Amino acid sequence: MVRTRSDAAKLVAGGFGRINGQRVAAPGHPVRIEDVVTVALDRSVRVLAVQGFCERRGPPSAGQALYRSLD
């Protein structure tokens, strides 16, 4: 969705993120498997279901396996 963690934190702090339909106030809000995450981007809204987590950073293809699009 965004390139860096700081960009993601700015989106959440700006009120552009929701978890299970509830607006998230802090970037450190916990996320669990099967939570539905909604992110309002510049020209679109992405709705995703969390499928898993990773231990380390990796390529984008590895990250894409950790969520399912509900758009």
Side-chain angles (χ1 to χ4, degrees):
M1 287 19 82
V2 294
R3 294 182 69 78
T4 65
R5 286 176 55 127
S6 61
D7 287 345
K10 289 175 189 175
L11 278 174
V12 171
F16 297 103
R18 294 177 181 265
I19 297 176
N20 298 324
Q22 300 293 321
R23 188 175 300 241
V24 180
H29 188 84
V31 177
R32 296 179 180 87
I33 292 177
E34 290 303 319
D35 278 353
V36 175
V37 177
T38 306
V39 181
L41 301 170
D42 287 338
R43 296 185 177 135
S44 65
V45 175
R46 297 288 311 264
V47 182
L48 312 165
V50 178
Q51 298 293 297
F53 300 100
C54 63
E55 295 292 324
R56 295 182 177 179
R57 290 177 58 180
S61 59
Q64 291 170 348
L66 301 174
Y67 64 87
R68 178 180 37 131
S69 179
L70 301 176
D71 294 335

